[in-house]
Amino acid sequence: MTGGGDVGATRGTGPERLDPRALRKEFPLLAPDRPGGPVVYLDSAASSQRPRAVLEAMDEYYTTTHANVHRGVYAIAEEATRRYEAARVAVGRFVRAPRPATEIVFTKNVTEAINLVAYTWARKELRPGDAILVSELEHHANLVPWLMLAEERGIELRFLPLAPDYHLDLTDLDRLLDGARLVALSAASNVLGTVVDLEPVVAAAHRAGALVLVDGAQLAPHRPVDLGRVGADFFGFTGHKMLGPTGIGVLWAREELLDAMPPFLGGGEMIRDVRTDGFTSNDLPWKFEAGTPPIAEAVGLAAAVEYLERVGLERVHAHESALTAYAIDRLRDAHGEQLTIFGPEPDPLRRSGVISFAFAGVHPHDVAQVLDTRGICVRAGHHCAKPLMRCLGVGATTRASLYLYNDEDDVDALVDGLAEVRELFA
Amino acid sequence: MTGGGDVGATRGTGPERLDPRALRKEFPLLAPDRPGGPVVYLDSAASSQRPRAVLEAMDEYYTTTHANVHRGVYAIAEEATRRYEAARVAVGRFVRAPRPATEIVFTKNVTEAINLVAYTWARKELRPGDAILVSELEHHANLVPWLMLAEERGIELRFLPLAPDYHLDLTDLDRLLDGARLVALSAASNVLGTVVDLEPVVAAAHRAGALVLVDGAQLAPHRPVDLGRVGADFFGFTGHKMLGPTGIGVLWAREELLDAMPPFLGGGEMIRDVRTDGFTSNDLPWKFEAGTPPIAEAVGLAAAVEYLERVGLERVHAHESALTAYAIDRLRDAHGEQLTIFGPEPDPLRRSGVISFAFAGVHPHDVAQVLDTRGICVRAGHHCAKPLMRCLGVGATTRASLYLYNDEDDVDALVDGLAEVRELFA
Amino acid sequence: MAGLEDLYREIILDHYRSPRNRGDLPSPPAVRVEGFNPLCGDEVVVYLDVVDAVVVDLKISGQGCSISQSSASMMSAAVKGRSVEEARALVRSFKALMSIHEAQLETDDADAPGAAGPDVLDADALGELAALQGVVKFPVRIKCATLPWNTLSQGLDEVGPATS
Amino acid sequence: MAGLEDLYREIILDHYRSPRNRGDLPSPPAVRVEGFNPLCGDEVVVYLDVVDAVVVDLKISGQGCSISQSSASMMSAAVKGRSVEEARALVRSFKALMSIHEAQLETDDADAPGAAGPDVLDADALGELAALQGVVKFPVRIKCATLPWNTLSQGLDEVGPATS
Ligand SMILES: Cc1ncc(COP(=O)(O)O)c(C=O)c1O
Ligand SMILES: Cc1ncc(COP(=O)(O)O)c(C=O)c1O
C-alpha cells in the first residue's frame, strides 16, 4: 500500500482489512507532527476524532452556500436547504431508516433525542403506575430523563440486571415487562463494551405491548445498523462519536409515532401556522426541529457517514473486534493479577472495543494521569454511568476505547504505559 | 487603506468608520470570485455569514484539541474544557453578563433557550389564570413556547399592540401587566426593524411583579448590549446571526433564577449524582447542559464575538444606522408609490437595518426570485412572524437586512434590481 | 443556471395579470376548499360546482405569487366543463410533470435517457399548462405551482362520493 | 509541560500508600462529614472530635485517587491537635495555595511578578503540605486536592457554633 491521502478509505466492499495507519493520515489530530506532540487516542467512546473530509465539508458549506434553510427563494438558500435535507437522507440511510426523509429528526445530541421522546411521547402516553424498563448499564442520558419522568408522573422505573458475565440477565424479562409501556435500552455499553442482543428484548417487549427505545450512541459508529432488523420504535445516536461534528444528534422513530407525538420545542420551522390563540404543527420531520437547525453540522455528519461507508462498516467492525481481542490478551498477559477488566470476553457479535479496567492499588485518575504524560488518552471516572459503577462496586474505572484509526501500536503503548504506572505506584 | 486581510477589523475604539469592502475580504462567501458567482447578501437577519477567523478557530480546535469536555484527565481533554469554558466567559462578557462563568448556558439556538425557560421556570412557577405578556411583533420562537404553555396550563397570553409608527404601543402597559407573571419580548423585530425601548417595559414589569425575558436574537449581533442596563431576567441570542456557527445559542439568566429552576434535559453533565431512584443536579451552568455540548460551536462563537469586538459594536451600529437611512431614502426615491416600507422611520436608537416592504402588484416571492437572478439575496415570506403579518394585513413581505459587511453598492444593487422587477411585472 | 425566462413565460404573466375564473360561488351547493403554503403564505380557495360528475363551474380566489396564481388560473380554464374523471387525470398529469422533473433534478441530469418520454406526453395533454414546466428548475417554486392542484384534488375527493 | 514528578512527589505517594489517621470515630460525639467529587467519584469522609475548640481527634475514610487521599492524610496530620481557629487558617492557606496558582495559570505565566510572594508564605506555613503545590499545574486535579479541605471546612462550621 502506498501512503496516499485516502488509501485507508478505499471502498469498503472488498475483503481486505482496513489500514489504520493509512486512515490516520486523514485525521489531523492524530498526525505524528501534531503541535503539542503525537497522541495515542484511546477515548473515542467519549468522542471520536474527525477526518479532514468532515471539516472540509463544513468549511465548504460555510464558504460557498450558507443561508438559513427552508424559507429562502434565492439560490444559496435553496442549495443550503437541499444540502441539509440531503444530509438527513444520507444519515437515515446509514442506519437503514425505512423513510429517512420524514423519520430522521436532527437534535443537538443523542441526549436531546432521548429527552424529546420523554417529553413528548412518554408524557402524553404514560400514566401513573405504568412502568419503564431500563437496564443497569445505562448511560445517564438514557436514565435521567426517565428518572425525571418517574418522579413527575409516578411512573415506576425498573432495571434489567447485569449478569456476572457482564451481559444483561434476561431471565426475568417477561416479569419485568408486565405493566411496562417502554423499554429504554443501550445497544452497547459505553463502560463495559457489552453489546446487547436487542432482538429477543424487542420481541418480548412488543409481545408485552411496550415500545422500545434504543440508545445507539455506542453502536452506530462501530458496526452496520439496520433499523428494520433491530425492530425498535425509537433509535438515537450522536454525531461527535462517529467522526462527525459536535452539536448534532439524531432521533429516528416510526412515522406513525412521530405523527401522533405532540411537538417538543416551539418556534420557527416546526409550525404550519401560528395565530394569536394557537398554532398547527408542521409536517414531519420539521415538526420536531424548532428554530434554525444545526445546518453545517448536518452537512458534516453526512460527510462522516459517507466516510464511514467508504471505509466500510463491516470492515470497521472486523478491525475493532480483532484489535479488542488483541488488547485484552496483551493487557492480561502483561499485567496479570493487577488488572481486572470489567466487561465480557472478546466476541465479535457481543462485545465492542470499549475496555474498562481496574488496576490494583492505583486509582483510575492516577492511571490516566501517568498515561497522559506519554501522550496516551484514556478516560478515568464514572463515564456517566453511576448506577453501573455501584453495580461494579467501584467509584470509577479507567477506560480505553478503540476505533477505526487505532492499531496494535496504540495497544502496545497502553500496555507499556501501564508498566510505568505499576512502577511509580509500586 | 491597504488591502490586508484584516484591515476592516482594526480595533473598534477609534472614531473611524468601518470599511465594509475591506471587511468583506474576510468573508469567503462574499468574495467577488465566489464559485457560483458573487452575491449581494441582504439576508443577515435570517442568518449571517462568517469570517474566516471563525472557521479557522473551529478547525484549529478540531485538529489540535478535540476531546469531550469536563470529564477527562488527559491534556487534550483539559485543554478542550478550558477552551469551552473560556468561550462561555467570552460570550458572556460580550453582553456584559455580570457572572459569565455561571449565568451563561449554551443551547442549540435561541429557540431552545426560550423553550428552556418555558419548560423549567414557567412550568414551575405559573398557575392557571396567570398571564404572560408578549407583543404583536414576536418571532414564533418567542410565541409558540408560550402558546403551548398557555394551552397546557390555562395561562392567558396577552399582546402588547403595535402602534401606527411600527413601535410598540405602551399606552395600556400597566393594565396589560395586571396579573402578568412574565413579559416575553423581542428586543428588535426581525421583520420591521423596530428596536424596542426595553427600559420602561422592564421597569413597569418589575413594578408589577413580573419577570422579563428578552429575545435578543436581532439585537446582540448589531449593537453593544449591557445586560446590567437592560435589567431583564432572561436574555437569549443565537450564534448563526452574529457571525458564529449554526448549532449554538445562548441563554443568560440571573443566578438566583437558574438556581431555583428545575433542570430541563436530563443526561450526562447536568447531574452531580445519579442513583437508581433519583439524581441531584450539577452546579450552574452545567445543570442546564445535558449531554455533550456544542464544543466546537462555542469555540467558533467566541471567535465571532472576538471579531465583532475587534471591529467594535459601536462602529457596527453606526455603520448600519447610516446605511439603513441611505437604503430607505434610495428605495423611496427610486420606487415611490410602488413601494411600501413596513417599519419605523430611520432612527439610530429605535430602528435596525431590517427593511421589509411590499412592492405593489408583485408578490414577495417573485420579487425575491427576480433579485436572485442578479445574485441579490433577500428573504420573502412571513419571516416566522405570522401574527405580525396579520397585523400588517399581508401574507408575506420582502425583506432586505443589513450587516457590517454591506455597503451602499449592495443597496444600489437592490434598488436597480427592483427596477427590473417593475419592468418584468409591468 | 435556469433563467427568469424559464419561469416567467409570457403566458404565465398573462394569467397572473388577468386571472381566469376569479371569484366565488355560493357554497353550498358549490364545494369550497382552501389550500395554503405555510412557508410563503400563499392561499388558494377553489369553488367547485359539480353536477352529474361534471365540473360545470369553478372559481378561484386567494392571494399569492405569480406561479401559484397563474397555475390556479390555467387550471380553472383547463378543468371547467370537464368530467370529474378527466379533472382527476389532469391533476395526475400535472403533478407528474412536476415530480418527473423533480426526479430529473435529483439525478442532476435533465438529459437522462428515458426522462423525456412521460414528460412530453404530459406536456401534450396539458396544453398551455405546459408553460409551467419551467418551474421545476426552481424547486422551491414547485409547491407554488402545485398548490391549486392539491386543493382541487381535495375538492374532487369531497364531491366524488356524492355525485358519481 | 509539567512532568509527573511535579505531581507525584515522594511524600505524596508515601501518604497515599500509608495514610495517616485512617479510620472512623463514633459519631456522635464526633462530627461526621462527607465530601465527594461528582466528576470522578472521589469520596472523603472526615470525622472530627472537637473539645473546647480544639480538634482533639480526626479520622479519615473514603476512597479516591492519590491526590485526594494523600491530601486528606496530610491534612489530618496537620490539623490534629490544633485549635478550630488554627484549622480554619490552615484551610484558608491551603485553598489560597491552590487558587493563587490557578490565577497564575490563567495568565499563562507562572513567573508573573508578584506571584511568588503569598505562595512562598503559604508554603512555609503549610509545611509538608506544600508538596501538593505541584498539583496546580494539573488543573483538573485541584479539585482532588481541595476535596478533603472543603469537607473539613464544612465539619468545622458544624462544630463551630456549638463549641466556641
Ligand atoms: C427575533 C428572533 N427571535 C428568534 C429567532 C430564532 O432564532 P433561532 O432560529 O436561531 O433559534 C430569530 C431568527 O430566526 C429571530 O429573528
Ligand atoms: C451509551 C451512550 N448514550 C448516550 C451518550 C450521550 O451522548 P451525547 O453526550 O452526545 O448526547 C453517550 C456518550 O456520552 C453514550 O455513551
Side-chain angles (χ1 to χ4, degrees):
Chain A
M1 271 198 172
T2 56
D6 58 3
V7 170
T10 48
R11 191 153 285 280
T13 46
E16 337 90 70
R17 300 173 51 185
L18 61 79
D19 178 355
R21 192 178 296 265
L23 282 180
R24 228 146 47 203
K25 296 208 175 96
E26 305 169 39
F27 289 77
L29 192 138
L30 303 176
D33 60 348
R34 169 181 173 273
V39 296
V40 173
Y41 192 73
L42 295 171
D43 195 24
S44 296
S47 196
S48 70
Q49 299 304 330
R50 44 211 51 65
R52 210 170 277 114
V54 167
L55 303 181
E56 282 169 359
M58 292 193 285
D59 283 347
E60 200 273 336
Y61 165 76
Y62 275 132
T63 56
T64 68
T65 315
H66 175 71
N68 214 330
V69 292
H70 293 141
R71 291 182 289 265
V73 174
Y74 56 86
I76 298 178
E78 241 180 65
E79 175 63 10
T81 304
R82 197 191 66 71
R83 290 198 194 190
Y84 178 67
E85 293 301 331
R88 187 194 307 283
V89 171
V91 170
R93 287 197 178 136
F94 179 72
V95 289
R96 306 272 181 283
R99 288 169 222 83
T102 53
E103 292 181 340
I104 293 287
V105 175
F106 284 128
T107 58
K108 66 177 174 177
N109 50 30
V110 69
T111 301
E112 188 196 355
I114 297 169
N115 278 273
L116 192 164
V117 177
Y119 269 104
T120 60
W121 179 83
R123 274 175 176 68
K124 180 174 172 219
E125 299 293 336
L126 301 197
R127 300 283 166 269
D130 285 346
I132 296 177
L133 179 59
V134 298
S135 85
E136 285 183 345
L137 55 66
E138 299 310 316
H139 186 280
H140 294 162
N142 197 26
L143 200 48
V144 181
W146 311 120
L147 280 168
M148 288 167 69
L149 181 65
E151 193 179 299
E152 185 188 314
R153 292 288 171 91
I155 306 285
E156 184 194 349
L157 204 58
R158 296 180 190 158
F159 288 81
L160 256 179
L162 203 62
D165 65 357
Y166 298 102
H167 286 290
L168 292 181
D169 177 353
L170 302 184
T171 323
D172 276 344
L173 181 57
D174 286 326
R175 195 180 52 74
L176 286 166
L177 280 170
D178 185 35
R181 303 284 312 279
L182 179 71
V183 178
L185 210 58
S186 275
S189 160
N190 69 314
V191 177
L192 306 173
T194 306
V195 175
V196 174
D197 188 7
L198 292 167
E199 287 175 51
V201 182
V202 171
H206 284 170
R207 270 198 312 273
L211 297 190
V212 180
L213 175 145
V214 172
D215 172 357
Q218 297 289 348
L219 189 74
H222 299 286
R223 48 180 83 185
V225 171
D226 182 337
L227 284 179
R229 269 196 50 210
V230 172
D233 303 284
F234 304 100
F235 188 92
F237 51 109
T238 202
H240 66 96
K241 292 192 207 280
M242 48 195 285
L243 313 186
T246 55
I248 189 162
V250 182
L251 173 67
W252 168 85
R254 287 192 290 107
E255 199 174 281
E256 328 68 280
L257 288 170
L258 290 173
D259 258 333
M261 279 150 64
F264 177 34
L265 304 183
E269 194 63 27
M270 56 67 71
I271 54 93
R272 183 192 302 279
D273 192 22
V274 180
R275 298 166 312 280
T276 54
D277 61 349
F279 68 95
T280 47
S281 299
N282 201 348
D283 295 332
L284 297 180
W286 308 294
K287 171 178 165 185
F288 295 104
E289 296 185 349
T292 303
I295 312 171
E297 290 76 7
V299 168
L301 183 54
V305 303
E306 194 188 295
Y307 184 92
L308 283 169
E309 279 164 351
R310 207 157 64 231
V311 175
L313 266 284
E314 287 291 3
R315 233 199 260 172
V316 170
H317 180 190
H319 168 70
E320 289 179 22
S321 295
L323 193 57
T324 304
Y326 175 80
I328 289 179
D329 227 46
R330 283 280 284 127
L331 284 166
R332 283 192 177 140
D333 235 43
H335 299 292
E337 292 294 282
Q338 191 163 5
L339 185 111
T340 310
I341 291 176
F342 302 109
E345 290 307 303
D347 173 340
L349 283 181
R350 304 181 69 207
R351 202 203 196 292
S352 77
V354 173
I355 305 172
S356 272
F357 59 86
F359 206 66
V362 192
H363 189 275
H365 253 194
D366 294 311
V367 174
Q369 190 84 61
V370 175
L371 294 177
D372 180 45
T373 57
R374 302 167 77 106
I376 303 168
C377 306
V378 299
R379 198 129 294 227
H382 55 65
H383 316 295
C384 291
K386 285 211 146 198
L388 175 57
M389 291 295 120
R390 292 204 179 87
C391 290
L392 300 177
V394 297
T397 75
T398 306
R399 180 185 75 185
S401 52
L402 307 169
Y403 205 5
L404 72 173
Y405 35 59
N406 294 118
D407 64 5
E408 274 98 347
D409 291 349
D410 296 337
V411 170
D412 295 345
L414 172 65
V415 170
D416 294 348
L418 287 174
E420 182 177 346
V421 171
R422 183 160 51 185
E423 250 165 62
L424 191 68
F425 285 88
Chain B
M1 269 195 175
T2 56
D6 59 3
V7 169
T10 47
R11 191 155 285 279
T13 47
E16 338 90 69
R17 300 174 50 186
L18 62 79
D19 178 354
R21 191 178 296 265
L23 282 180
R24 224 138 59 197
K25 296 208 175 97
E26 305 169 38
F27 289 76
L29 192 138
L30 304 175
D33 60 349
R34 168 182 174 272
V39 298
V40 173
Y41 192 73
L42 295 171
D43 196 24
S44 296
S47 197
S48 70
Q49 299 304 331
R50 44 210 52 63
R52 210 169 278 115
V54 167
L55 303 181
E56 282 169 0
M58 292 193 285
D59 283 347
E60 200 271 338
Y61 166 75
Y62 274 132
T63 56
T64 68
T65 314
H66 175 70
N68 215 329
V69 293
H70 293 142
R71 291 182 289 265
V73 175
Y74 56 86
I76 298 177
E78 240 180 68
E79 176 63 10
T81 304
R82 197 191 64 74
R83 290 198 194 191
Y84 178 66
E85 293 301 330
R88 187 194 307 282
V89 171
V91 170
R93 288 197 178 137
F94 179 72
V95 289
R96 306 270 181 283
R99 288 169 220 83
T102 52
E103 292 181 339
I104 293 286
V105 174
F106 283 128
T107 59
K108 66 177 174 176
N109 51 30
V110 69
T111 301
E112 187 196 356
I114 297 169
N115 279 273
L116 191 165
V117 177
Y119 270 104
T120 59
W121 178 83
R123 275 174 175 70
K124 180 174 172 216
E125 298 292 336
L126 300 198
R127 300 284 166 269
D130 284 345
I132 296 176
L133 179 60
V134 298
S135 86
E136 285 184 346
L137 57 65
E138 297 311 316
H139 186 280
H140 294 163
N142 197 26
L143 202 48
V144 182
W146 312 119
L147 281 167
M148 288 168 69
L149 181 66
E151 194 179 298
E152 183 188 315
R153 292 288 171 90
I155 305 285
E156 183 194 350
L157 204 57
R158 295 180 191 159
F159 287 80
L160 256 180
L162 204 60
D165 65 356
Y166 298 102
H167 286 290
L168 292 182
D169 177 353
L170 301 184
T171 323
D172 277 344
L173 181 57
D174 286 326
R175 195 181 51 73
L176 286 166
L177 281 170
D178 185 34
R181 302 284 311 280
L182 179 71
V183 177
L185 209 58
S186 275
S189 161
N190 69 314
V191 178
L192 307 173
T194 306
V195 175
V196 175
D197 187 8
L198 292 168
E199 286 176 49
V201 183
V202 171
H206 283 171
R207 269 197 312 273
L211 297 192
V212 179
L213 176 145
V214 172
D215 172 358
Q218 298 288 346
L219 189 73
H222 300 286
R223 47 180 83 185
V225 171
D226 181 337
L227 286 178
R229 269 197 51 213
V230 173
D233 303 285
F234 304 100
F235 188 91
F237 52 108
T238 201
H240 66 96
K241 292 192 207 279
M242 48 196 286
L243 313 185
T246 55
I248 190 162
V250 182
L251 173 68
W252 168 85
R254 287 192 289 108
E255 201 174 280
E256 327 67 281
L257 289 170
L258 290 174
D259 258 332
M261 279 151 64
F264 178 32
L265 305 182
E269 194 61 28
M270 55 67 71
I271 54 92
R272 185 194 300 278
D273 191 23
V274 181
R275 298 167 311 279
T276 54
D277 62 349
F279 68 95
T280 48
S281 299
N282 200 348
D283 295 331
L284 297 179
W286 308 294
K287 171 178 164 186
F288 295 104
E289 295 186 349
T292 304
I295 311 170
E297 290 76 7
V299 169
L301 183 54
V305 302
E306 193 188 296
Y307 185 92
L308 283 169
E309 279 166 349
R310 208 157 62 230
V311 175
L313 267 284
E314 287 293 1
R315 234 198 257 172
V316 170
H317 181 192
H319 168 71
E320 290 178 22
S321 295
L323 193 58
T324 303
Y326 175 81
I328 290 179
D329 227 46
R330 283 280 285 129
L331 285 166
R332 283 189 177 143
D333 235 44
H335 300 292
E337 292 294 281
Q338 192 163 4
L339 187 109
T340 309
I341 292 176
F342 302 110
E345 291 306 303
D347 174 337
L349 284 180
R350 303 180 70 206
R351 203 203 196 290
S352 77
V354 173
I355 305 173
S356 272
F357 57 88
F359 206 65
V362 193
H363 189 274
H365 254 196
D366 294 310
V367 174
Q369 191 85 61
V370 175
L371 293 177
D372 180 43
T373 58
R374 302 168 76 104
I376 303 168
C377 306
V378 299
R379 198 128 294 227
H382 54 65
H383 316 295
C384 291
K386 286 212 146 196
L388 174 58
M389 291 294 120
R390 292 203 178 87
C391 288
L392 301 176
V394 296
T397 75
T398 308
R399 180 187 73 184
S401 51
L402 307 168
Y403 206 6
L404 73 173
Y405 35 59
N406 294 118
D407 64 6
E408 274 97 347
D409 291 351
D410 297 336
V411 170
D412 295 345
L414 172 66
V415 170
D416 294 349
L418 287 174
E420 182 177 346
V421 171
R422 182 158 55 184
E423 252 165 61
L424 191 69
F425 285 88
Chain C
M1 201 183 132
L4 281 181
E5 62 288 357
D6 290 314
L7 190 62
Y8 298 123
R9 307 266 171 92
E10 194 42 54
I11 190 162
I12 290 177
L13 292 177
D14 178 58
H15 275 271
Y16 181 46
R17 291 192 198 99
S18 325
R20 325 295 195 257
N21 301 301
R22 183 99 192 150
D24 51 25
L25 294 174
S27 154
V31 166
R32 180 183 182 283
V33 206
E34 268 181 58
F36 79 116
N37 180 339
L39 291 183
C40 60
D42 282 7
E43 276 180 20
V44 170
V45 187
V46 175
Y47 296 86
L48 268 182
D49 201 353
V50 174
V51 177
D52 291 340
V54 169
V55 180
V56 294
D57 203 0
L58 178 151
K59 295 274 187 203
I60 305 282
S61 71
Q63 56 169 11
C65 70
S66 60
I67 303 303
S68 68
Q69 300 304 301
S70 63
S71 178
S73 172
M74 290 190 216
M75 175 184 86
S76 72
V79 166
K80 195 167 158 176
R82 302 264 196 152
S83 72
V84 167
E85 204 68 346
E86 289 167 322
R88 285 220 171 90
L90 263 176
V91 173
R92 273 195 303 276
S93 298
F94 186 78
K95 292 187 70 171
L97 180 74
M98 294 289 137
S99 59
I100 282 164
H101 276 86
E102 238 182 315
Q104 278 178 14
L105 286 172
E106 267 187 16
T107 65
D108 275 337
D109 181 7
D111 303 319
D119 164 10
V120 168
L121 220 70
D122 288 325
D124 283 354
L126 290 165
E128 73 179 11
L129 279 162
L132 281 165
Q133 80 180 34
V135 170
V136 294
K137 294 183 187 157
F138 299 81
V140 277
R141 307 302 295 273
I142 293 176
K143 281 214 171 97
C144 306
T146 53
L147 174 65
W149 296 85
N150 288 331
T151 313
L152 171 65
S153 181
Q154 214 182 310
L156 293 172
D157 287 350
E158 283 182 31
V159 296
T163 56
S164 70
Chain D
M1 203 182 129
L4 282 181
E5 62 287 357
D6 290 315
L7 191 62
Y8 299 123
R9 307 265 172 91
E10 195 40 56
I11 188 158
I12 291 178
L13 292 177
D14 178 58
H15 274 270
Y16 181 47
R17 291 191 198 99
S18 326
R20 324 295 195 259
N21 301 301
R22 183 97 194 151
D24 51 26
L25 293 174
S27 155
V31 166
R32 180 183 182 282
V33 207
E34 269 181 56
F36 80 115
N37 180 340
L39 292 181
C40 61
D42 282 5
E43 276 179 21
V44 169
V45 187
V46 175
Y47 296 86
L48 268 182
D49 201 353
V50 174
V51 178
D52 291 341
V54 170
V55 181
V56 295
D57 203 0
L58 179 151
K59 295 274 185 202
I60 305 283
S61 71
Q63 55 169 11
C65 68
S66 61
I67 302 304
S68 68
Q69 300 304 303
S70 64
S71 177
S73 171
M74 290 189 216
M75 176 184 86
S76 71
V79 165
K80 194 166 157 180
R82 302 263 196 153
S83 72
V84 168
E85 205 68 345
E86 287 169 324
R88 285 218 170 91
L90 262 176
V91 172
R92 273 194 303 276
S93 297
F94 186 78
K95 293 187 71 173
L97 180 74
M98 293 289 135
S99 59
I100 282 165
H101 277 88
E102 239 181 314
Q104 278 178 14
L105 286 172
E106 269 186 15
T107 65
D108 275 339
D109 182 6
D111 304 320
D119 166 10
V120 168
L121 219 69
D122 289 325
D124 283 354
L126 290 165
E128 73 180 14
L129 279 161
L132 281 165
Q133 79 180 33
V135 170
V136 293
K137 294 183 186 158
F138 299 82
V140 278
R141 308 302 294 274
I142 293 176
K143 281 214 172 98
C144 306
T146 54
L147 175 64
W149 296 85
N150 289 331
T151 313
L152 171 64
S153 180
Q154 214 182 309
L156 292 173
D157 287 351
E158 284 183 32
V159 296
T163 55
S164 68

